[in-house]
Amino acid sequence: MSLLAVPGPAAADGPHGVDDLRPGAHVADPVDVSSRLDGRGVQFLPRRDVPEPPDVTALSWMVTDMASGKVLAAKDAHRPLPPASTLKALFAVTVLPKFSQEAVHTVSLRDLAGIEAGSSLAGLKEDLPYRVADLWHGVFLRSGSDAVHTLATMNGGWDKTIDDMQATARRLGARDTTVESADGFDTPGQFSSAYDLTLFGRAGLTDPDFAYFASTKQAELPEDGGRDAFGIQNTNRLLVGSHGVRPYNGLIGVKNGYTTHAGNTLIAAARRDGRTLLVTVMNPQSGSRNAVYEETRSLLDWGFEAAPRAAAVGVLPVMVPGDEPQRVAHRSQPVTPLHKAAVAAQTDADAHARYWWFLSAAGAVGVIALAGLGTGLWWRRRKPPASRDGEPD
């Protein structure tokens, strides 16, 4: 591993602890550190009592102390690369604060229009009511583009949501990010960087709702159950422990992703002994199917060992009040079972109407047969599928 050794002093932790998030609690060194992150290759300031970062194969990566904003080490932090579903972290930072988690939305065909073939889906169904919290479970756990599209429709549309995400990126200081698709699907001209994805992860974790969804391992969709419900599991293998990956002690999220063009990408946050580290890894080249998780593990292990003594190669911009998500409302009451109540309230009239509906439908068998190809595509999108853009189950 080639290291760019730049001598310099270490940035000290704040007087109220390493995870003191108050403005001004952590003062960066009075030196220009931005040029170190702009440099190519691995950026690390050697010290006798600090081990060198591990040799990993990712095209770009960054290790950051969340509270102080100190970047402990990085490789090509500003290299523009396709982000895959890690871009959903920016989507969540932008849209999640706008709606109460208890708000109810009935999914329509219009909500699901425009989903790209091969996108990972949460398995939402038309004409079924979901709470906003259900939709976010679909985004964070299943990386579901159907959930993203539905929330984008609620936000005013796909194009408006992309514009809102771009504005949020600029506000956070993310200069490397160009948003062309709200769900992170491979789209010409769409890029982000390890630096920018770290900014999105940090901003998200200041919102308790974001932190909750990012750390959730399993959920039922819809959450209140009912005949249409099914279980979902987070595709972040480092969080849940699956496919030969051991869960990482202290991991608290955030978001993983995969596309053919982007390869595997991951924003990961872990907390130990009062210190929270953010590690972003983009597109490992080793060829191992679990490389993004194992390389992240190595960088987290190194970060927790090095953080107390490591010198900063960069410092993230200080978050001002306007940078923090302005939440509508966090869940404060027990969930009222929408779907179970609806099933229990069905009347004999409902059953009678369904009977005549089936008689009418039987008379239209020929028409349905002619539309078989379209029906097959519709059914494929209704079933909870294996993830394509996240991690396969």
Side-chain angles (χ1 to χ4, degrees):
M1 174 173 59
S2 175
L3 297 177
L4 178 60
V6 183
D13 289 319
H16 298 281
V18 294
D19 263 359
D20 183 8
L21 298 178
R22 294 178 298 176
H26 303 267
V27 181
D29 297 320
V31 294
D32 180 13
V33 294
S34 61
S35 62
R36 299 174 190 172
L37 294 180
D38 288 333
R40 298 186 63 181
V42 175
Q43 306 296 313
F44 167 67
L45 297 178
R47 298 184 63 180
R48 288 188 304 172
D49 56 346
V50 178
E52 291 187 354
D55 189 5
V56 297
T57 68
L59 296 180
S60 176
W61 54 265
M62 197 162 94
V63 182
T64 307
D65 183 277
M66 181 169 167
S68 66
K70 290 168 50 179
V71 180
L72 308 180
K75 176 187 176 184
D76 294 332
H78 287 293
R79 179 175 178 175
L81 292 168
S85 282
T86 52
L87 195 64
K88 290 183 175 79
L90 174 60
F91 172 76
V93 170
T94 303
V95 179
L96 193 152
K98 297 185 178 183
F99 304 102
S100 167
Q101 300 306 313
E102 290 301 309
V104 176
H105 177 82
T106 299
V107 173
S108 68
L109 281 173
R110 174 174 171 264
D111 294 332
L112 305 180
I115 297 176
E116 297 285 351
S119 297
S120 55
L121 304 176
L124 302 183
K125 297 181 179 180
E126 295 95 339
D127 301 323
L128 191 68
Y130 294 88
R131 286 187 173 80
V132 167
D134 293 322
L135 302 178
W136 286 113
H137 277 134
V139 171
F140 278 91
L141 276 67
R142 292 293 302 171
S143 209
S145 289
D146 46 357
V148 173
H149 275 257
T150 300
L151 287 160
T153 301
M154 295 172 62
N155 187 55
W158 193 249
D159 291 340
K160 178 183 181 298
T161 299
I162 289 173
D163 290 341
D164 289 351
M165 291 170 64
Q166 193 69 68
T168 300
R170 294 292 176 261
R171 176 171 54 82
L172 293 174
R175 59 179 178 168
D176 307 316
T177 297
T178 301
V179 183
E180 298 292 345
S181 176
D183 59 0
F185 193 87
D186 283 340
T187 306
Q190 179 160 273
F191 297 99
S192 191
S193 67
Y195 181 90
D196 286 8
L197 293 176
T198 299
L199 292 178
F200 306 152
R202 179 181 68 159
L205 289 173
T206 65
D207 181 345
D209 284 340
F210 183 108
Y212 164 75
F213 290 116
S215 63
T216 298
K217 296 180 180 181
Q218 292 95 17
E220 193 170 15
L221 188 66
E223 187 179 7
D224 58 19
R227 63 185 179 185
D228 296 301
F230 54 91
I232 58 176
Q233 178 171 288
N234 202 311
T235 58
N236 183 346
R237 298 175 184 179
L238 203 60
L239 178 67
V240 300
S242 66
H243 298 77
V245 177
R246 291 179 293 104
Y248 191 81
N249 181 32
L251 199 78
I252 56 174
V254 179
K255 190 69 189 79
N256 57 317
Y258 171 81
T259 64
T260 304
H261 188 47
N264 287 284
T265 57
L266 179 63
I267 310 168
R271 182 176 297 124
R272 287 184 185 176
D273 300 324
R275 185 186 300 276
T276 301
L277 295 183
L278 275 169
V279 169
T280 300
V281 174
M282 304 188 75
N283 201 354
Q285 300 295 292
S286 72
S288 168
R289 69 171 185 166
N290 289 325
V292 73
Y293 300 108
E294 297 306 335
E295 294 190 6
T296 298
R297 182 193 308 277
S298 296
L299 290 168
L300 282 168
D301 285 345
W302 173 83
F304 282 116
E305 181 181 0
R309 301 172 303 279
V313 298
V315 179
L316 299 184
V318 175
M319 289 186 65
V320 298
D323 292 339
E324 298 178 2
Q326 301 299 309
R327 296 182 295 120
V328 173
H330 189 63
R331 176 177 296 162
S332 57
Q333 298 178 349
V335 173
T336 302
L338 288 176
H339 304 89
K340 292 178 180 177
V343 171
Q346 287 179 337
T347 63
D348 291 339
D350 294 330
H352 184 72
R354 288 198 303 275
Y355 169 76
W356 286 108
W357 184 90
F358 280 116
L359 287 181
S360 300
V365 168
V367 175
I368 294 174
L370 291 176
L373 179 61
T375 304
L377 176 61
W378 179 89
W379 178 245
R380 181 182 68 83
R381 286 193 171 181
R382 300 288 61 76
K383 295 169 65 179
S387 176
R388 298 283 187 88
D389 181 32
E391 291 291 335
D393 289 337

Short mmCIF file of all heavy atoms in Angstrom, two decimals, residues 208-269:
data_model
loop_
_atom_site.label_atom_id
_atom_site.label_comp_id
_atom_site.label_asym_id
_atom_site.label_seq_id
_atom_site.Cartn_x
_atom_site.Cartn_y
_atom_site.Cartn_z
N PRO A 208 -33.25 10.73 14.71
CA PRO A 208 -33.56 9.45 15.37
C PRO A 208 -34.33 8.47 14.48
O PRO A 208 -34.15 7.26 14.61
CB PRO A 208 -34.38 9.88 16.59
CG PRO A 208 -33.95 11.27 16.87
CD PRO A 208 -33.67 11.88 15.52
N ASP A 209 -35.20 8.98 13.61
CA ASP A 209 -35.94 8.08 12.71
C ASP A 209 -34.98 7.40 11.74
O ASP A 209 -35.05 6.18 11.53
CB ASP A 209 -37.00 8.86 11.94
CG ASP A 209 -38.22 9.18 12.79
OD1 ASP A 209 -38.41 8.52 13.82
OD2 ASP A 209 -38.97 10.10 12.42
N PHE A 210 -34.08 8.15 11.13
CA PHE A 210 -33.08 7.59 10.23
C PHE A 210 -32.25 6.54 10.96
O PHE A 210 -32.04 5.44 10.45
CB PHE A 210 -32.20 8.71 9.69
CG PHE A 210 -31.17 8.28 8.68
CD1 PHE A 210 -31.31 8.62 7.34
CD2 PHE A 210 -30.03 7.58 9.06
CE1 PHE A 210 -30.35 8.24 6.39
CE2 PHE A 210 -29.07 7.19 8.14
CZ PHE A 210 -29.24 7.52 6.80
N ALA A 211 -31.79 6.89 12.16
CA ALA A 211 -30.95 5.96 12.92
C ALA A 211 -31.71 4.68 13.25
O ALA A 211 -31.14 3.58 13.22
CB ALA A 211 -30.45 6.64 14.20
N TYR A 212 -33.00 4.82 13.54
CA TYR A 212 -33.82 3.64 13.86
C TYR A 212 -33.93 2.72 12.64
O TYR A 212 -33.67 1.51 12.73
CB TYR A 212 -35.20 4.08 14.32
CG TYR A 212 -36.22 2.97 14.29
CD1 TYR A 212 -36.22 1.96 15.26
CD2 TYR A 212 -37.17 2.91 13.28
CE1 TYR A 212 -37.15 0.93 15.22
CE2 TYR A 212 -38.11 1.89 13.23
CZ TYR A 212 -38.09 0.90 14.19
OH TYR A 212 -39.00 -0.12 14.15
N PHE A 213 -34.32 3.26 11.50
CA PHE A 213 -34.49 2.43 10.32
C PHE A 213 -33.16 1.84 9.85
O PHE A 213 -33.10 0.69 9.42
CB PHE A 213 -35.13 3.25 9.20
CG PHE A 213 -36.57 3.61 9.44
CD1 PHE A 213 -36.96 4.92 9.57
CD2 PHE A 213 -37.54 2.61 9.56
CE1 PHE A 213 -38.28 5.26 9.80
CE2 PHE A 213 -38.87 2.94 9.81
CZ PHE A 213 -39.24 4.27 9.93
N ALA A 214 -32.10 2.63 9.93
CA ALA A 214 -30.80 2.16 9.46
C ALA A 214 -30.26 1.00 10.29
O ALA A 214 -29.45 0.21 9.79
CB ALA A 214 -29.80 3.31 9.47
N SER A 215 -30.71 0.88 11.53
CA SER A 215 -30.20 -0.17 12.41
C SER A 215 -31.18 -1.34 12.58
O SER A 215 -30.88 -2.31 13.27
CB SER A 215 -29.90 0.41 13.79
OG SER A 215 -31.08 0.91 14.41
N THR A 216 -32.34 -1.26 11.93
CA THR A 216 -33.36 -2.31 12.06
C THR A 216 -32.94 -3.55 11.27
O THR A 216 -32.60 -3.45 10.09
CB THR A 216 -34.72 -1.80 11.58
OG1 THR A 216 -35.13 -0.70 12.39
CG2 THR A 216 -35.77 -2.90 11.68
N LYS A 217 -32.99 -4.71 11.91
CA LYS A 217 -32.55 -5.94 11.26
C LYS A 217 -33.70 -6.67 10.57
O LYS A 217 -33.53 -7.18 9.46
CB LYS A 217 -31.90 -6.86 12.29
CG LYS A 217 -30.63 -6.29 12.90
CD LYS A 217 -30.02 -7.25 13.92
CE LYS A 217 -28.75 -6.67 14.52
NZ LYS A 217 -28.13 -7.61 15.49
N GLN A 218 -34.84 -6.77 11.22
CA GLN A 218 -35.99 -7.44 10.62
C GLN A 218 -37.24 -6.62 10.88
O GLN A 218 -37.32 -5.84 11.84
CB GLN A 218 -36.20 -8.85 11.20
CG GLN A 218 -35.14 -9.86 10.84
CD GLN A 218 -34.05 -9.98 11.89
OE1 GLN A 218 -34.24 -9.55 13.03
NE2 GLN A 218 -32.90 -10.53 11.53
N ALA A 219 -38.23 -6.79 10.02
CA ALA A 219 -39.51 -6.12 10.20
C ALA A 219 -40.57 -6.92 9.46
O ALA A 219 -40.27 -7.79 8.64
CB ALA A 219 -39.46 -4.68 9.68
N GLU A 220 -41.83 -6.63 9.78
CA GLU A 220 -42.94 -7.19 9.03
C GLU A 220 -43.51 -6.10 8.15
O GLU A 220 -43.61 -4.94 8.55
CB GLU A 220 -44.02 -7.72 9.99
CG GLU A 220 -45.06 -8.60 9.31
CD GLU A 220 -45.97 -9.30 10.32
OE1 GLU A 220 -45.98 -8.88 11.49
OE2 GLU A 220 -46.67 -10.24 9.92
N LEU A 221 -43.86 -6.43 6.92
CA LEU A 221 -44.36 -5.46 5.96
C LEU A 221 -45.73 -5.92 5.47
O LEU A 221 -45.82 -6.94 4.78
CB LEU A 221 -43.39 -5.32 4.78
CG LEU A 221 -43.68 -4.20 3.78
CD1 LEU A 221 -43.51 -2.85 4.45
CD2 LEU A 221 -42.79 -4.32 2.56
N PRO A 222 -46.80 -5.18 5.81
CA PRO A 222 -46.87 -4.04 6.71
C PRO A 222 -46.59 -4.44 8.17
O PRO A 222 -46.77 -5.58 8.54
CB PRO A 222 -48.31 -3.53 6.56
CG PRO A 222 -48.84 -4.18 5.33
CD PRO A 222 -48.11 -5.47 5.20
N GLU A 223 -46.21 -3.44 8.95
CA GLU A 223 -45.75 -3.71 10.30
C GLU A 223 -46.84 -4.28 11.19
O GLU A 223 -46.57 -5.05 12.11
CB GLU A 223 -45.19 -2.43 10.91
CG GLU A 223 -44.54 -2.61 12.26
CD GLU A 223 -43.97 -1.31 12.81
OE1 GLU A 223 -44.20 -0.25 12.21
OE2 GLU A 223 -43.30 -1.38 13.86
N ASP A 224 -48.12 -3.89 10.92
CA ASP A 224 -49.19 -4.35 11.79
C ASP A 224 -49.73 -5.72 11.40
O ASP A 224 -50.70 -6.20 11.97
CB ASP A 224 -50.34 -3.33 11.84
CG ASP A 224 -50.92 -3.04 10.46
OD1 ASP A 224 -50.72 -3.86 9.54
OD2 ASP A 224 -51.58 -2.00 10.30
N GLY A 225 -49.13 -6.36 10.42
CA GLY A 225 -49.51 -7.71 10.05
C GLY A 225 -50.72 -7.73 9.12
O GLY A 225 -50.92 -6.82 8.32
N GLY A 226 -51.51 -8.76 9.22
CA GLY A 226 -52.64 -8.94 8.32
C GLY A 226 -52.34 -9.99 7.27
O GLY A 226 -51.22 -10.50 7.17
N ARG A 227 -53.32 -10.31 6.46
CA ARG A 227 -53.17 -11.40 5.51
C ARG A 227 -52.18 -11.10 4.40
O ARG A 227 -51.68 -12.01 3.73
CB ARG A 227 -54.53 -11.73 4.89
CG ARG A 227 -55.15 -10.59 4.09
CD ARG A 227 -56.54 -10.94 3.61
NE ARG A 227 -57.14 -9.84 2.86
CZ ARG A 227 -58.38 -9.86 2.41
NH1 ARG A 227 -59.16 -10.91 2.64
NH2 ARG A 227 -58.85 -8.83 1.73
N ASP A 228 -51.87 -9.82 4.17
CA ASP A 228 -50.93 -9.44 3.11
C ASP A 228 -49.51 -9.24 3.62
O ASP A 228 -48.62 -8.89 2.85
CB ASP A 228 -51.40 -8.15 2.42
CG ASP A 228 -52.72 -8.32 1.70
OD1 ASP A 228 -52.78 -9.18 0.79
OD2 ASP A 228 -53.69 -7.62 2.03
N ALA A 229 -49.28 -9.44 4.91
CA ALA A 229 -47.97 -9.13 5.50
C ALA A 229 -46.97 -10.27 5.26
O ALA A 229 -47.34 -11.42 5.10
CB ALA A 229 -48.11 -8.86 6.99
N PHE A 230 -45.71 -9.91 5.24
CA PHE A 230 -44.62 -10.88 5.15
C PHE A 230 -43.39 -10.28 5.82
O PHE A 230 -43.28 -9.06 5.98
CB PHE A 230 -44.31 -11.26 3.69
CG PHE A 230 -44.04 -10.08 2.79
CD1 PHE A 230 -42.76 -9.60 2.61
CD2 PHE A 230 -45.09 -9.46 2.13
CE1 PHE A 230 -42.51 -8.52 1.78
CE2 PHE A 230 -44.85 -8.36 1.30
CZ PHE A 230 -43.55 -7.90 1.12
N GLY A 231 -42.47 -11.13 6.22
CA GLY A 231 -41.27 -10.67 6.90
C GLY A 231 -40.19 -10.24 5.94
O GLY A 231 -40.03 -10.80 4.84
N ILE A 232 -39.43 -9.22 6.32
CA ILE A 232 -38.29 -8.77 5.54
C ILE A 232 -37.08 -8.65 6.47
O ILE A 232 -37.23 -8.44 7.67
CB ILE A 232 -38.54 -7.43 4.83
CG1 ILE A 232 -38.92 -6.32 5.83
CG2 ILE A 232 -39.62 -7.57 3.77
CD1 ILE A 232 -39.09 -4.95 5.19
N GLN A 233 -35.89 -8.83 5.89
CA GLN A 233 -34.65 -8.73 6.65
C GLN A 233 -33.71 -7.76 5.96
O GLN A 233 -33.67 -7.68 4.73
CB GLN A 233 -33.97 -10.09 6.77
CG GLN A 233 -32.63 -10.06 7.50
CD GLN A 233 -32.08 -11.42 7.79
OE1 GLN A 233 -32.59 -12.14 8.64
NE2 GLN A 233 -31.03 -11.82 7.07
N ASN A 234 -32.97 -7.03 6.76
CA ASN A 234 -32.00 -6.08 6.23
C ASN A 234 -30.96 -6.81 5.38
O ASN A 234 -30.45 -7.86 5.78
CB ASN A 234 -31.32 -5.33 7.38
CG ASN A 234 -30.72 -4.02 6.95
OD1 ASN A 234 -30.00 -3.94 5.96
ND2 ASN A 234 -31.01 -2.97 7.70
N THR A 235 -30.64 -6.27 4.21
CA THR A 235 -29.67 -6.91 3.33
C THR A 235 -28.23 -6.55 3.68
O THR A 235 -27.29 -7.00 3.01
CB THR A 235 -29.93 -6.53 1.86
OG1 THR A 235 -29.87 -5.09 1.72
CG2 THR A 235 -31.29 -7.02 1.40
N ASN A 236 -28.03 -5.72 4.72
CA ASN A 236 -26.68 -5.37 5.17
C ASN A 236 -26.12 -6.54 5.98
O ASN A 236 -26.46 -6.74 7.15
CB ASN A 236 -26.74 -4.10 6.02
CG ASN A 236 -25.36 -3.62 6.47
OD1 ASN A 236 -24.37 -4.34 6.38
ND2 ASN A 236 -25.31 -2.39 6.94
N ARG A 237 -25.26 -7.32 5.36
CA ARG A 237 -24.76 -8.54 5.98
C ARG A 237 -23.91 -8.26 7.22
O ARG A 237 -23.83 -9.08 8.13
CB ARG A 237 -23.95 -9.34 4.96
CG ARG A 237 -24.76 -9.79 3.77
CD ARG A 237 -23.92 -10.48 2.72
NE ARG A 237 -24.73 -10.81 1.54
CZ ARG A 237 -24.26 -11.38 0.45
NH1 ARG A 237 -22.96 -11.70 0.37
NH2 ARG A 237 -25.06 -11.66 -0.57
N LEU A 238 -23.27 -7.12 7.26
CA LEU A 238 -22.44 -6.78 8.42
C LEU A 238 -23.30 -6.44 9.63
O LEU A 238 -22.86 -6.56 10.77
CB LEU A 238 -21.52 -5.61 8.07
CG LEU A 238 -20.24 -5.44 8.89
CD1 LEU A 238 -19.35 -6.66 8.77
CD2 LEU A 238 -19.49 -4.18 8.45
N LEU A 239 -24.54 -6.04 9.39
CA LEU A 239 -25.47 -5.74 10.47
C LEU A 239 -26.16 -6.99 11.00
O LEU A 239 -26.21 -7.22 12.21
CB LEU A 239 -26.53 -4.73 9.98
CG LEU A 239 -27.61 -4.35 10.98
CD1 LEU A 239 -27.02 -3.56 12.15
CD2 LEU A 239 -28.70 -3.53 10.28
N VAL A 240 -26.67 -7.82 10.09
CA VAL A 240 -27.48 -8.96 10.52
C VAL A 240 -26.66 -10.23 10.68
O VAL A 240 -27.06 -11.14 11.42
CB VAL A 240 -28.64 -9.22 9.54
CG1 VAL A 240 -29.54 -8.00 9.45
CG2 VAL A 240 -28.13 -9.61 8.16
N GLY A 241 -25.52 -10.34 9.99
CA GLY A 241 -24.74 -11.57 10.00
C GLY A 241 -25.39 -12.61 9.10
O GLY A 241 -26.29 -13.33 9.53
N SER A 242 -24.95 -12.70 7.85
CA SER A 242 -25.52 -13.67 6.91
C SER A 242 -24.54 -13.90 5.78
O SER A 242 -23.58 -13.15 5.60
CB SER A 242 -26.86 -13.17 6.34
OG SER A 242 -26.67 -12.01 5.53
N HIS A 243 -24.80 -14.97 5.00
CA HIS A 243 -24.00 -15.28 3.81
C HIS A 243 -22.51 -15.36 4.14
O HIS A 243 -21.66 -14.92 3.36
CB HIS A 243 -24.24 -14.25 2.71
CG HIS A 243 -25.66 -14.21 2.21
ND1 HIS A 243 -26.67 -13.59 2.92
CD2 HIS A 243 -26.22 -14.69 1.08
CE1 HIS A 243 -27.80 -13.70 2.24
NE2 HIS A 243 -27.56 -14.38 1.13
N GLY A 244 -22.19 -15.91 5.30
CA GLY A 244 -20.80 -16.09 5.68
C GLY A 244 -20.15 -14.88 6.30
O GLY A 244 -18.94 -14.91 6.57
N VAL A 245 -20.90 -13.82 6.56
CA VAL A 245 -20.36 -12.61 7.18
C VAL A 245 -20.80 -12.56 8.64
O VAL A 245 -22.00 -12.67 8.95
CB VAL A 245 -20.86 -11.33 6.45
CG1 VAL A 245 -20.34 -10.08 7.16
CG2 VAL A 245 -20.42 -11.35 4.99
N ARG A 246 -19.86 -12.43 9.56
CA ARG A 246 -20.19 -12.28 10.97
C ARG A 246 -20.68 -10.86 11.24
O ARG A 246 -20.14 -9.90 10.70
CB ARG A 246 -18.95 -12.55 11.85
CG ARG A 246 -18.48 -13.99 11.85
CD ARG A 246 -17.24 -14.16 12.72
NE ARG A 246 -16.09 -13.47 12.17
CZ ARG A 246 -15.59 -12.32 12.61
NH1 ARG A 246 -16.15 -11.71 13.65
NH2 ARG A 246 -14.52 -11.78 12.05
N PRO A 247 -21.72 -10.71 12.08
CA PRO A 247 -22.16 -9.35 12.41
C PRO A 247 -21.06 -8.60 13.15
O PRO A 247 -20.31 -9.19 13.93
CB PRO A 247 -23.39 -9.58 13.30
CG PRO A 247 -23.21 -10.96 13.85
CD PRO A 247 -22.50 -11.75 12.78
N TYR A 248 -20.98 -7.30 12.88
CA TYR A 248 -19.92 -6.49 13.49
C TYR A 248 -20.41 -5.94 14.83
O TYR A 248 -21.48 -5.33 14.93
CB TYR A 248 -19.51 -5.34 12.57
CG TYR A 248 -18.27 -4.63 13.04
CD1 TYR A 248 -17.01 -5.16 12.77
CD2 TYR A 248 -18.34 -3.44 13.77
CE1 TYR A 248 -15.86 -4.53 13.21
CE2 TYR A 248 -17.20 -2.81 14.22
CZ TYR A 248 -15.95 -3.35 13.94
OH TYR A 248 -14.82 -2.73 14.37
N ASN A 249 -19.60 -6.14 15.87
CA ASN A 249 -19.95 -5.68 17.20
C ASN A 249 -20.05 -4.16 17.24
O ASN A 249 -19.08 -3.46 16.94
CB ASN A 249 -18.89 -6.16 18.20
CG ASN A 249 -19.21 -5.73 19.61
OD1 ASN A 249 -20.37 -5.61 19.98
ND2 ASN A 249 -18.19 -5.49 20.41
N GLY A 250 -21.23 -3.67 17.60
CA GLY A 250 -21.43 -2.23 17.73
C GLY A 250 -21.94 -1.56 16.48
O GLY A 250 -22.12 -0.33 16.47
N LEU A 251 -22.22 -2.31 15.40
CA LEU A 251 -22.67 -1.68 14.17
C LEU A 251 -24.08 -1.11 14.36
O LEU A 251 -24.95 -1.76 14.93
CB LEU A 251 -22.68 -2.69 13.02
CG LEU A 251 -22.70 -2.05 11.63
CD1 LEU A 251 -21.31 -1.56 11.26
CD2 LEU A 251 -23.21 -3.02 10.57
N ILE A 252 -24.30 0.09 13.84
CA ILE A 252 -25.60 0.76 13.96
C ILE A 252 -26.17 1.14 12.58
O ILE A 252 -26.98 2.03 12.46
CB ILE A 252 -25.50 2.02 14.85
CG1 ILE A 252 -24.43 2.97 14.34
CG2 ILE A 252 -25.21 1.62 16.30
CD1 ILE A 252 -24.39 4.30 15.11
N GLY A 253 -25.84 0.49 11.55
CA GLY A 253 -26.30 0.81 10.17
C GLY A 253 -25.10 1.31 9.37
O GLY A 253 -23.97 1.16 9.81
N VAL A 254 -25.25 1.84 8.14
CA VAL A 254 -26.32 2.69 7.67
C VAL A 254 -26.99 2.11 6.41
O VAL A 254 -28.18 1.82 6.42
CB VAL A 254 -25.74 4.09 7.38
CG1 VAL A 254 -26.81 5.05 6.84
CG2 VAL A 254 -25.15 4.68 8.64
N LYS A 255 -26.21 1.98 5.27
CA LYS A 255 -26.83 1.55 4.02
C LYS A 255 -25.80 0.89 3.12
O LYS A 255 -24.68 1.38 2.97
CB LYS A 255 -27.46 2.74 3.28
CG LYS A 255 -28.34 2.35 2.10
CD LYS A 255 -29.61 1.65 2.55
CE LYS A 255 -30.39 1.06 1.38
NZ LYS A 255 -29.82 -0.23 0.91
N ASN A 256 -26.24 -0.22 2.50
CA ASN A 256 -25.42 -0.92 1.53
C ASN A 256 -26.05 -0.80 0.14
O ASN A 256 -27.21 -0.39 0.00
CB ASN A 256 -25.31 -2.40 1.91
CG ASN A 256 -26.67 -3.06 2.02
OD1 ASN A 256 -27.59 -2.49 2.58
ND2 ASN A 256 -26.80 -4.27 1.50
N GLY A 257 -25.28 -1.17 -0.89
CA GLY A 257 -25.82 -1.11 -2.23
C GLY A 257 -25.02 -1.97 -3.19
O GLY A 257 -23.87 -2.33 -2.92
N TYR A 258 -25.65 -2.27 -4.32
CA TYR A 258 -24.96 -3.00 -5.38
C TYR A 258 -25.67 -2.76 -6.71
O TYR A 258 -26.90 -2.81 -6.80
CB TYR A 258 -24.93 -4.51 -5.12
CG TYR A 258 -24.40 -5.27 -6.32
CD1 TYR A 258 -23.03 -5.36 -6.55
CD2 TYR A 258 -25.26 -5.84 -7.24
CE1 TYR A 258 -22.54 -6.02 -7.67
CE2 TYR A 258 -24.79 -6.51 -8.36
CZ TYR A 258 -23.43 -6.59 -8.58
OH TYR A 258 -22.95 -7.23 -9.69
N THR A 259 -24.90 -2.46 -7.73
CA THR A 259 -25.36 -2.53 -9.11
C THR A 259 -24.19 -3.08 -9.93
O THR A 259 -23.04 -3.09 -9.48
CB THR A 259 -25.79 -1.17 -9.68
OG1 THR A 259 -24.66 -0.29 -9.73
CG2 THR A 259 -26.91 -0.54 -8.88
N THR A 260 -24.51 -3.51 -11.14
CA THR A 260 -23.47 -4.04 -12.01
C THR A 260 -22.38 -3.01 -12.26
O THR A 260 -21.18 -3.32 -12.25
CB THR A 260 -24.08 -4.50 -13.34
OG1 THR A 260 -25.12 -5.45 -13.07
CG2 THR A 260 -23.03 -5.13 -14.23
N HIS A 261 -22.78 -1.78 -12.47
CA HIS A 261 -21.82 -0.73 -12.80
C HIS A 261 -21.07 -0.23 -11.56
O HIS A 261 -19.87 0.03 -11.61
CB HIS A 261 -22.56 0.44 -13.47
CG HIS A 261 -21.65 1.50 -14.02
ND1 HIS A 261 -20.55 1.21 -14.80
CD2 HIS A 261 -21.69 2.85 -13.91
CE1 HIS A 261 -19.94 2.34 -15.14
NE2 HIS A 261 -20.61 3.34 -14.61
N ALA A 262 -21.77 -0.11 -10.45
CA ALA A 262 -21.16 0.45 -9.23
C ALA A 262 -20.38 -0.58 -8.44
O ALA A 262 -19.49 -0.23 -7.66
CB ALA A 262 -22.24 1.06 -8.33
N GLY A 263 -20.68 -1.87 -8.62
CA GLY A 263 -20.12 -2.87 -7.73
C GLY A 263 -20.77 -2.74 -6.36
O GLY A 263 -21.86 -2.18 -6.20
N ASN A 264 -20.12 -3.26 -5.34
CA ASN A 264 -20.64 -3.18 -3.97
C ASN A 264 -20.19 -1.88 -3.30
O ASN A 264 -19.01 -1.49 -3.39
CB ASN A 264 -20.14 -4.36 -3.14
CG ASN A 264 -20.85 -5.65 -3.52
OD1 ASN A 264 -22.00 -5.88 -3.16
ND2 ASN A 264 -20.15 -6.49 -4.26
N THR A 265 -21.13 -1.25 -2.63
CA THR A 265 -20.85 -0.01 -1.90
C THR A 265 -21.47 -0.11 -0.51
O THR A 265 -22.45 -0.83 -0.30
CB THR A 265 -21.43 1.22 -2.63
OG1 THR A 265 -22.84 1.03 -2.82
CG2 THR A 265 -20.76 1.41 -3.98
N LEU A 266 -20.90 0.62 0.44
CA LEU A 266 -21.39 0.52 1.82
C LEU A 266 -21.02 1.76 2.62
O LEU A 266 -19.88 2.22 2.58
CB LEU A 266 -20.80 -0.73 2.50
CG LEU A 266 -21.19 -0.99 3.96
CD1 LEU A 266 -22.69 -1.22 4.11
CD2 LEU A 266 -20.41 -2.19 4.51
N ILE A 267 -22.02 2.30 3.32
CA ILE A 267 -21.79 3.28 4.38
C ILE A 267 -22.09 2.55 5.69
O ILE A 267 -23.19 2.02 5.86
CB ILE A 267 -22.72 4.50 4.27
CG1 ILE A 267 -22.71 5.10 2.87
CG2 ILE A 267 -22.33 5.56 5.31
CD1 ILE A 267 -23.83 6.11 2.66
N ALA A 268 -21.14 2.49 6.59
CA ALA A 268 -21.32 1.75 7.83
C ALA A 268 -20.94 2.63 9.02
O ALA A 268 -19.91 3.32 8.98
CB ALA A 268 -20.48 0.47 7.83
N ALA A 269 -21.74 2.56 10.06
CA ALA A 269 -21.45 3.28 11.31
C ALA A 269 -21.42 2.27 12.45
O ALA A 269 -22.25 1.37 12.52
CB ALA A 269 -22.49 4.35 11.58
#
